[in-house]
Amino acid sequence: MTALAPPTTACDPRPLLGVGLPAHVLVQFDDRWSAAWLIGRLHCADGWVALVQFVDRTGCEQTVRVAADRVCLTTTPPN
C-alpha cells in the first residue's frame, strides 16, 4: 500500500458537503494525518462537523466527530 501524502495547505471543507457517503478522507489528529471514512455530516448552530471512522494506533476502530476543517478529500469529487 502506498502511504498517503499529508495535505500541504489548509483544507477547504466545502467539497465534503457534495461528496457521497461514505467517502475516503484524510483526517488530522494532533500532529498527524490518518486515512479514514467520512460517514456523516452533522449540522450544528455554528456550522457542521464530520463524523469519521478510522483505525487508531492500537488497531481499534474508532468513530468520532471532528471539525470539518480537519478533514480533506483524498480525491476530487465529480462535477
Side-chain angles (χ1 to χ4, degrees):
M1 176 188 276
T2 304
L4 298 171
T8 56
T9 61
C11 293
D12 180 0
R14 291 176 294 181
L16 297 175
L17 295 174
V19 70
L21 299 178
H24 196 247
V25 295
L26 290 176
V27 179
Q28 185 179 28
F29 295 110
D30 299 323
D31 62 342
R32 65 185 181 94
W33 288 88
S34 296
W37 286 102
L38 175 68
I39 58 173
R41 297 176 286 252
L42 307 167
H43 296 269
C44 301
D46 60 349
W48 65 279
V49 296
L51 182 63
V52 297
Q53 194 169 52
F54 68 102
V55 176
D56 68 15
R57 291 181 180 182
T58 66
C60 294
E61 189 174 272
Q62 302 288 330
T63 302
V64 297
R65 293 179 181 105
V66 296
D69 61 353
R70 292 177 33 202
V71 180
C72 289
L73 289 176
T74 58
T75 59
T76 304
N79 291 334

